[in-house]
Amino acid sequence: MSRLNANAFSFVPGQGFRIPQQQPAQPPPPPLERPPQTEAPAPAPTISLNIGGSKPAPPPSAPSQPATISLNIGGDKSSAPAPTPASSAPAPAKAAPKADAPSESQPANASASTPAPAAASSKAFTLDRAKTDTAAVAQDVRNAADEEILKDLYGQAKEHLNIVFIGHVDAGKSTMGGNLLYLCGMVDKRTMEKYEREAKEAGRDSWYLSWALDSTPQERAKGKTVEVGRAYFETDSRRYTILDAPGHKTFVPSMISGAAQADVAILVISARKGEFETGFEKGGQTREHIMLVKTAGVSKVIVVINKMDEPTVEWQKSRFDEIKDKLSPFIKAAGFSVKTDVTFIPVSAYTGANLKDRVDKKLCTWWDGPSLLEHLDNMPMVDRKIHAPLMMPVSEKYKDMGTIIVGKVESGHMRKGDTLLLMPNKNTVEVAAIYNEMEDEVTSALCGDNVRIRLRGVDDEDISPGFVLTSPANPIHSVRQFEAQLAILDHKSIICAGYSAVMHCHTLSEEVTLAALLHYFDKATGRKSKKPPQYAKRGQKIVALIETSEPVCVERFVDYPQLGRFTLRDEGKTIAIGKITKLVEGPLDEAAEGVANMSLSQGA
């Protein structure tokens, strides 16, 4: 018979159907009788969660009190209370030694009626003893080990800043850089005495400090910096790379490539009577340099007023204030905030006054501010895109037991042995070695570092300044056309479609053509015009389509400001500054080229 259905017929092979036997029905079980409730039900248990903090012990609980369930994660377990006995007698006060309960001499029932202040604090969420905070871990590491062990294990962890010296010719940029190197111990006294002796023989007594940065015979003979000089020094808190830019207007393209690698610009102004006025007038380089460093992406400017020890100045506050008042409106017009981005410091680069140590009160009674190095050490650090895709524009290249490229890592990071892409030629290269400013080999380079890299897999003849070393996963865009906003600064005539100029973008220098003028901005409303303008003139702001003959590595300004801003120069003048708003990329240009180069041959 089926057990699933008791009333079903059962079938056995060889026998007939049998009617199942009826089983007597069992009576239902009697209902449960609950005893009548004579007292109030016990209150719900108290649950406290304590993560990371020391656990405060609750007072001893009487039967009338609710049970306590506590969860303690990562805290101190020494204060756990003793278990409450199950008998009906009240627990003695000494059962909880660390609780805020009355002493043993008091009756036990007093402790039951006394409110426990610890119960309120047990609900608090605290991280007092948590060790997951990065700052707390770093502090523990510093407390546990001395400086030598930390330096040996973690390496040099100082912040790094790139500073560029800019200003009119003969303002004292190279002299200041050379004296900074000497004061920080990067150039020893014996070398400086040698430079001084050689400068005296050449009849250039006061130039010897600049020879630490001006290394070529041409630069030393004329006293003019031609190429961007590089040097390195460090203080107790930071590392610095000096980029000594040329001040002469002939070498402005070199100055632009130096400014493109800098985080902070030091504008050197000569306080000597007549020299400041010459540099700041229309033909001088002071105005152009301020505009160019803003376009190059430098966010902080330190205006160093040099030659304060001159007999025509003699540390006078009136001369300092006069220069400051004349410069401030122009710096503000260039786009810098005078209150937050600009600092004025009086120095003497030749004597070293106010460079490293503060100026003597006997010389300058009115200056209470910091010295130049003191200000550099304490200024806020620039933002670094360490976790962004790698992008490193190449500023120079040479051959030395392999291909060496030099540049500043604009975003991301790289390690020795990485396989990277060299754009725009799309060459796959391997990082064979990385060298820092001191020519020491290092294993990695981070955003902001000025490094030399030995590459494997490419010849130095196939690389040009302006190429970008980038990650294969997120390579930089390589385009021949892009849309850009332009501000026309200075041009003797109007600019029309088809106008050609030289574009300077990061370390790139390329001839471009304005293929079309798309819009102009109305000065009154700031809106774009619907119709394209016929021409553009000085003071206007326009949107133009720019074409290059060869592919160039650029990005939109909103994505990577350093790789999306540029200047246009023509006939030795800065014509316009601009930012890239849209990249025009596609295979159409390549297809058109392929069709143009295609030849048809008639079959035999």
Side-chain angles (χ1 to χ4, degrees):
M1 185 178 68
S2 172
R3 294 183 183 178
L4 296 176
N5 191 350
N7 298 320
F9 288 94
S10 64
F11 173 71
V12 179
Q15 298 180 10
F17 286 103
R18 289 184 299 178
I19 299 174
Q21 298 175 357
Q22 296 290 333
Q23 295 180 351
Q26 295 181 352
L32 294 173
E33 292 186 6
R34 296 180 183 274
Q37 190 168 348
T38 56
E39 53 187 24
T46 303
I47 301 174
S48 64
L49 175 63
N50 185 26
I51 301 177
S54 59
K55 176 179 177 290
S61 55
S64 60
Q65 288 184 324
T68 302
I69 302 171
S70 58
L71 176 60
N72 187 23
I73 300 176
D76 189 7
K77 298 179 183 177
S78 61
S79 59
T84 307
S87 63
S88 60
K94 62 183 178 182
K98 291 196 178 181
D100 295 336
S103 62
E104 296 179 14
S105 59
Q106 291 180 332
N109 57 0
S111 68
S113 60
T114 307
S121 64
S122 68
K123 296 178 184 176
F125 184 87
T126 173
L127 283 173
D128 292 342
R129 294 175 59 85
K131 298 297 180 192
T132 53
D133 186 16
T134 52
V137 172
Q139 187 61 45
D140 281 356
V141 168
R142 281 196 291 271
N143 293 342
D146 58 6
E147 289 296 322
E148 287 299 320
I149 297 175
L150 291 176
K151 192 174 176 181
D152 184 50
L153 180 62
Y154 294 115
Q156 191 60 265
K158 289 181 183 176
E159 293 173 327
H160 181 245
L161 269 180
N162 299 286
I163 54 177
V164 62
F165 287 110
I166 59 169
H168 192 63
V169 65
D170 285 341
K173 299 182 293 296
S174 299
T175 302
M176 184 178 295
N179 210 347
L180 276 174
L181 294 177
Y182 175 59
L183 290 172
C184 293
M186 303 309 291
V187 180
D188 57 19
K189 193 172 183 181
R190 185 177 173 184
T191 309
M192 271 302 173
E193 286 171 355
K194 174 174 162 258
Y195 289 155
E196 191 172 5
R197 195 168 56 250
E198 290 173 358
K200 195 172 281 187
E201 288 169 6
R204 304 280 190 260
D205 294 15
S206 62
W207 290 4
Y208 75 96
L209 285 166
S210 68
W211 286 16
L213 284 166
D214 292 345
S215 52
T216 64
Q218 178 194 0
E219 291 178 327
R220 290 184 176 183
K222 293 188 176 181
K224 290 191 180 91
T225 305
V226 176
E227 295 179 343
V228 176
R230 285 172 180 273
Y232 169 81
F233 71 94
E234 62 179 80
T235 61
D236 293 337
S237 56
R238 282 182 180 166
R239 299 179 295 131
Y240 297 94
T241 298
I242 293 179
L243 301 158
D244 181 28
H248 201 276
K249 63 181 178 184
T250 313
F251 311 117
V252 167
S254 296
M255 177 261 156
I256 294 172
S257 71
Q261 302 168 55
D263 302 313
V264 179
I266 296 183
L267 176 63
V268 184
I269 302 290
S270 172
R272 186 186 281 167
K273 287 276 197 295
E275 281 194 5
F276 163 67
E277 286 74 13
T278 306
F280 193 62
E281 282 168 9
K282 199 172 181 193
Q285 297 310 112
T286 305
R287 289 170 178 261
E288 187 176 12
H289 280 200
I290 293 170
M291 188 66 69
L292 287 172
V293 292
K294 180 64 180 175
T295 313
V298 175
S299 57
K300 302 282 182 189
V301 172
I302 302 171
V303 182
V304 173
I305 298 175
N306 189 20
K307 303 188 183 181
M308 291 293 287
D309 59 324
E310 274 290 316
T312 58
V313 183
E314 291 183 342
W315 294 93
Q316 293 172 10
K317 190 174 189 299
S318 57
R319 180 64 171 164
F320 177 82
D321 290 339
E322 179 193 348
I323 294 172
K324 184 177 176 180
D325 293 342
K326 282 186 179 177
L327 274 175
S328 295
F330 185 76
I331 293 175
K332 189 176 182 181
F336 293 102
S337 167
V338 179
K339 288 184 179 178
T340 57
D341 299 338
V342 184
T343 312
F344 290 85
I345 299 177
V347 303
S348 168
Y350 187 67
T351 62
N354 216 30
L355 282 183
K356 186 177 182 183
D357 300 322
R358 294 195 182 191
V359 64
D360 191 357
K361 282 290 182 186
K362 293 176 185 174
L363 283 174
C364 180
T365 55
W366 50 271
W367 180 253
D368 295 321
S371 65
L372 176 60
L373 277 184
E374 204 177 323
H375 178 73
L376 281 170
D377 280 346
N378 295 320
M379 69 187 300
M381 194 62 189
V382 292
D383 188 28
R384 303 284 195 209
K385 294 183 176 178
I386 293 178
H387 299 294
L390 171 70
M391 289 184 190
M392 177 188 146
V394 177
S395 61
E396 55 184 284
K397 50 95 181 189
Y398 57 91
K399 199 161 191 170
D400 179 17
M401 295 174 63
T403 304
I404 304 276
I405 61 169
V406 183
K408 177 192 171 190
V409 183
E410 289 294 350
S411 73
H413 58 278
M414 71 174 84
R415 289 182 175 276
K416 183 179 175 180
D418 282 358
T419 301
L420 302 172
L421 206 60
L422 195 62
M423 297 289 283
N425 288 356
K426 299 182 180 176
N427 290 331
T428 302
V429 295
E430 185 187 341
V431 178
I434 303 173
Y435 302 95
N436 63 8
E437 303 90 344
M438 300 294 292
E439 298 293 333
D440 297 330
E441 189 170 345
V442 293
T443 56
S444 63
L446 298 175
C447 175
D449 288 348
N450 257 299
V451 289
R452 298 169 192 269
I453 298 171
R454 176 174 279 116
L455 296 179
R456 201 178 285 135
V458 67
D459 197 16
D460 69 315
E461 295 172 0
D462 299 331
I463 304 174
S464 300
F467 281 23
V468 177
L469 192 66
T470 180
S471 62
N474 291 296
I476 189 171
H477 290 93
S478 172
V479 295
R480 292 189 182 191
Q481 285 187 332
F482 55 87
E483 287 182 18
Q485 278 186 27
L486 289 172
I488 313 297
L489 300 178
D490 185 17
H491 199 250
K492 58 189 177 186
S493 61
I494 59 174
I495 293 174
C496 301
Y499 173 77
S500 295
V502 177
M503 179 183 78
H504 295 273
C505 180
H506 53 88
T507 58
L508 173 74
S509 179
E510 184 78 19
E511 187 163 340
V512 298
T513 306
L514 271 63
L517 308 183
L518 304 176
H519 311 280
Y520 69 88
F521 286 89
D522 191 347
K523 279 191 176 179
T525 60
R527 293 180 181 173
K528 277 198 298 190
S529 65
K530 291 183 179 178
K531 292 183 179 179
Q534 296 294 317
Y535 61 88
K537 58 185 181 181
R538 181 179 171 181
Q540 270 192 326
K541 197 172 159 192
I542 60 168
V543 177
L545 178 68
I546 297 178
E547 281 185 357
T548 63
S549 56
E550 297 294 328
V552 294
C553 296
V554 289
E555 286 285 347
R556 290 193 315 156
F557 178 79
V558 291
D559 299 331
Y560 292 91
Q562 292 292 93
L563 306 171
R565 45 162 69 95
F566 62 91
T567 57
L568 293 181
R569 285 179 57 80
D570 190 21
E571 298 176 359
K573 291 181 183 174
T574 301
I575 303 299
I577 59 174
K579 64 179 183 180
I580 297 168
T581 54
K582 183 182 177 184
L583 300 174
V584 182
E585 54 182 341
L588 294 175
D589 295 340
E590 296 170 17
E593 271 186 29
V595 171
N597 297 332
M598 189 169 60
S599 62
L600 297 174
S601 60
Q602 192 171 358

